[in-house]
Every structure is written in structure tokens, then in C-alpha cells.
Amino acid sequence: MIDLRNLETFVWVARLGGFRLAAEKLNMTQPAISARIALLEEDLRLQLFETRPRRGVLTPSGQELLRYAERILALKDDMVRAVGGNTSYKVALKIGVPETIVHTWLAILVDTLSRNHPTLTLDVEVDSTTNLREGISTGRLDIAITNGPCNDPKIRSEFLCAFPMAWMASTSLPIERNGADLASLTAYPVITFRRGTAPYGTIREFLDRNGFATARMFASSAIAGIVRMGLDGIGTCVLPPAVLQQELLDGRMVILDAGIKLPPLDFYVNASRDADVWLTQQITDTTIKVARASLERLAADQRI
């Protein structure tokens, strides 16, 4: 009799193209993965993976088994959901998010998912969009929120939300809040997201195009670092005001109205097309609702 755990292991090795990636995905050691595949091959009396050039390549028998294995596992999930609903559907989900989400509505999302899926275990990874795209493409992550879509045909990308961007500064800096010109904004270093990100490139191009090619830019991979430098008066900040709600409310930071229209920071939610469609779509839908409701509340309060 075939062990479904061995069958699931086989599917992940096949999907991810290797034993090491499957071990990371399933939180197992590579020897444990190898042992499960060996047991499955013994049960079926078949060789499922080529020994060369790498262990993740399916044999013809393995390719045929994969089609049946995916259907069997999908049917098993459907059965569990139909019989027990959310309370019996136990799964661990790995979600990758950028830091902007951490500073805005991540806590609301986690709380909502916890209440809607009481048996769901969440593993949240905070990283750059580049690494999150790599994580969702290789299967290390089940869902990833990225700045811009993931252009991998194996990945479903849905528009999530757009954060307005603004020029801001500490009230300790002698800059006019209304009517500030670009010269006064760039009299100090411009502090924003790290070099190589879309916001950094957009701001650099904007400054160069408007005759401020020599304007200094300070970049940070951590929003907390950008905010700290801004509060200390080191320079002006270009960030989504949504991540500085407390600092804006207590008057330590102000939005500078210079008549400059900055493009918003667009985020997408991404999931593998091979993943459990029912669950990932449930999580995706919840994420979209939470993100948009949070930004609507902020806009209604006239805080962004």
C-alpha cells in the first residue's frame, strides 16, 4: 500500500527539480527525502528519477506517476475539506513579505488568517522583492508579496494594492511644508529604499531629469533605518506615508507639498500554479481584502 507521505514527497521533488529544494520545502533532511523516495520506488518496483545528470529528473515512469500522484493528493485535500472543513485542514504555509507590509497591515492579515483558518500554521519571511521572487519561483515560499508582478509562467500574480509615495521630513529641518521647491528638498540628502529598487531608480531618474544630477541620495534596505535618519534630520525621506503614521500623527515628521507627483508603490500577491489552488486562493483573497481595506481606512482618515 502506497504511503501518501511518500507520494507527496515525490511530487515536491518533481515540482522543484531536486531533493535539496524539496527538503527545504518540507522541513526535512535530504536523507529523509531520499528514504521516502526509495520506499516509494520499492513499493512500485519502478525507478522514478534518473541517476544522471541530476536526481530531480524524472524517468518516463516518474513522469507518468506524477500525473496520477497530483490527482490523488488533490482528491485527498478535497475529501478532508469536504468532511471536516477548515477545522480539520491542517497545513503549514510559508508567506514572504517586503518590509513595507510589515510596517502597515501584516499584523491584521496574520490575525485574520488565524481566525479564518484556526489549524493553519504560518511561517512569515521578510525579505527584498528580488529574494521573494526567487523564493516563490523555486517553491521555497507558498505565497509572496512583491513590488511588481512575478514574471514566471509557473506563478499566478494578482494586483494587491498601491501605496502612495511622498516627500517627508523632520520638523527640525527648515523646509517649507507647502510650496517647497526641488532645490530645498535636495539641499539635504534624499533618503529612500535601497539602490536597485524601483523607488530608488524612479527618484534618481526624476532628479537627473530635472537638473539635480548631483543631488545626494542615501539608501537603506531597512525602513526603520530610513525613518530614523529622517527623524534625526539627516535628510528628507521618500517613502509611503502609511509606514510613518505615528511619526506624522505626533508631529515629528511632516509631508512636504512640493507639487511633485511620485508614482505609487505597487504590490502584487503571487502563488504557484502548482500549489493547493483552494487554499492559496483563499489566502490570496483574504490578503487582497485586508490590504485594500487598510489603505481605504488610512485614506478616509486623511493620513496618507
Side-chain angles (χ1 to χ4, degrees), residues 55-290:
R55 301 180 72 190
V57 178
L58 291 168
T59 63
S61 296
Q63 293 172 2
E64 185 174 4
L65 175 64
L66 180 61
R67 293 193 295 271
Y68 288 100
E70 289 180 327
R71 287 160 57 187
I72 290 170
L73 293 175
L75 183 60
K76 183 263 293 182
D77 290 341
D78 288 344
M79 176 191 70
V80 172
R81 286 193 295 268
V83 173
N86 286 347
T87 57
S88 64
Y89 190 66
K90 298 181 180 180
V91 67
L93 203 69
K94 295 183 179 180
I95 299 180
V97 300
E99 196 185 2
T100 302
I101 307 305
V102 176
H103 286 267
T104 50
W105 43 262
L106 177 63
I108 300 173
L109 175 63
V110 171
D111 179 60
T112 303
L113 293 177
S114 177
R115 286 186 284 104
N116 292 352
H117 305 275
T119 59
L120 180 67
T121 299
L122 286 177
D123 184 359
V124 179
E125 178 177 316
V126 182
D127 211 330
S128 67
T129 282
T130 299
N131 292 337
L132 294 175
R133 284 194 181 118
E134 183 272 336
I136 193 70
S137 293
T138 60
R140 179 170 52 81
L141 297 172
D142 299 297
I143 291 177
I145 297 172
T146 56
N147 178 208
C150 186
N151 298 317
D152 184 332
K154 303 190 302 294
I155 305 300
R156 300 192 311 272
S157 286
E158 293 187 51
F159 176 73
L160 180 58
C161 63
F163 284 89
M165 297 279 285
W167 226 296
M168 292 168 285
S170 167
T171 50
S172 65
L173 291 182
I175 302 176
E176 289 290 333
R177 178 172 181 176
N178 297 310
D181 58 17
L182 198 51
S184 61
L185 294 179
T186 57
Y188 305 90
V190 179
I191 311 168
T192 190
F193 294 98
R194 69 181 179 85
R195 190 184 300 271
T197 60
Y200 184 99
T202 297
I203 297 163
R204 183 73 267 174
E205 190 275 333
F206 174 81
L207 293 173
D208 295 348
R209 188 176 67 248
N210 286 276
F212 289 85
T214 59
R216 290 183 297 165
M217 289 184 67
F218 289 178
S220 174
S221 59
I223 288 178
I226 300 172
V227 174
R228 186 68 264 168
M229 286 188 279
L231 287 170
D232 290 344
I234 293 173
T236 58
C237 298
V238 181
L239 283 172
V243 305
L244 288 98
Q245 281 304 294
Q246 191 56 52
E247 292 80 2
L248 291 170
L249 284 172
D250 62 25
R252 288 180 293 160
M253 296 284 287
V254 292
I255 296 175
L256 303 173
D257 183 6
I260 299 172
K261 183 67 174 178
L262 296 170
L265 205 56
D266 292 339
F267 286 97
Y268 286 72
V269 58
N270 310 274
S272 171
R273 297 184 188 277
D274 293 330
D276 182 336
V277 175
W278 179 85
L279 180 61
T280 55
Q281 194 58 55
Q282 289 280 316
I283 305 301
T284 296
D285 291 346
T286 300
T287 302
I288 291 172
K289 289 177 183 177
V290 167

